[in-house]
Amino acid sequence: MSSIWDRYPDLSPHELRDLVAATAQVLADFSDRSELPTDPIEMSTGEAARELTASIDVLSAGQRGVVQELLEDDETAVRLCQVVLDEVRRYRELADAVAKAYEERTRKMTGAEVLLLAGAVVVLATRIKEIKVGKGKEGTKITFSESGEAIKKFLAGLVSGLWG
C-alpha cells in the first residue's frame, strides 16, 4: 500500500495541507497534554508566535511580531511545516501514525489552510519532549526533543534573517 510519505515532498498544496493537519492532530493526540498550550490546533498565529518566542531561547519577546509575520507568510509557513514534516518522517512509528491519520482525513475531505495550521504544528513540534505512538504496551515512546531543537533553530534562523 502506498503512503503519502512515498510522494513527499512532491505534494500538491491540498495534499500538503492535509498532511500538516494530520501531523498536528497526531502530535496533539499522542503527546503529554501538560507540555502543550490549551488547544494548539485552534490557536491563532498571534498566539502561536507568543508560544514560540517564549519557548525558543534565542528569540526575544520583541520578536513576536516577526514570528507572527513568518507564520502568516504563505511561503515561509510551508517551509516551516516542511521542516516539521522532515523531522516527523525520521521516526517510523510516528510517520506511520501520521500516514494513517492522513488517509482517514482525506476520506473525510475536510481541513483548514496551511497558514492556520503552521503555528499549531510548529508549536506542537517544539514543545513536545516525548511522544508515545500507539496504545498500551505495544506503543512506542519517541524522544522528540532533538527534532524540536532542529525546528527551533530553523525558525530562529528565519527570524534573525529578517530581524538582524
Side-chain angles (χ1 to χ4, degrees):
M1 182 170 142
S2 178
S3 164
I4 187 65
W5 297 113
D6 296 335
R7 295 187 310 279
Y8 178 82
D10 300 319
L11 304 176
S12 71
H14 180 78
E15 289 171 320
L16 180 63
R17 180 196 68 211
D18 286 344
L19 183 59
V20 169
T23 301
Q25 191 61 56
V26 167
L27 290 174
D29 287 350
F30 290 136
S31 63
D32 177 358
R33 292 286 182 165
S34 68
E35 298 176 6
L36 305 175
T38 308
D39 191 357
I41 293 177
E42 297 296 322
M43 72 175 42
S44 70
T45 55
E47 293 167 316
R50 189 173 25 262
E51 286 288 329
L52 291 166
T53 53
S55 69
I56 300 175
D57 294 336
V58 297
L59 298 180
S60 69
Q63 293 173 311
R64 186 176 74 88
V66 175
V67 173
Q68 184 172 350
E69 287 177 27
L70 290 170
L71 293 173
E72 292 174 351
D73 177 76
D74 290 335
E75 185 178 316
T76 307
V78 167
R79 286 177 51 208
L80 282 165
C81 290
Q82 288 172 329
V83 170
V84 173
L85 294 172
D86 290 344
E87 292 298 322
V88 165
R89 192 174 176 198
R90 292 180 49 211
Y91 303 95
R92 183 174 163 222
E93 295 88 353
L94 184 55
D96 289 347
V98 168
K100 181 179 177 189
Y102 172 86
E103 293 304 322
E104 291 171 3
R105 181 178 182 74
T106 57
R107 280 188 228 121
K108 292 179 185 176
M109 300 300 265
T110 63
E113 295 298 323
V114 168
L115 287 178
L116 297 175
L117 294 168
V121 77
V122 174
V123 167
L124 285 162
T126 58
R127 295 286 297 272
I128 294 169
K129 291 173 183 45
E130 287 187 345
I131 190 166
K132 185 176 180 186
V133 179
K135 306 273 185 214
K137 291 182 180 183
E138 296 175 16
T140 302
K141 187 181 276 189
I142 297 171
T143 301
F144 201 71
S145 56
E146 184 179 313
S147 292
E149 291 303 314
I151 296 160
K152 288 177 184 180
K153 185 177 179 181
F154 180 80
L155 179 58
L158 288 175
V159 171
S160 68
L162 292 176
W163 187 267

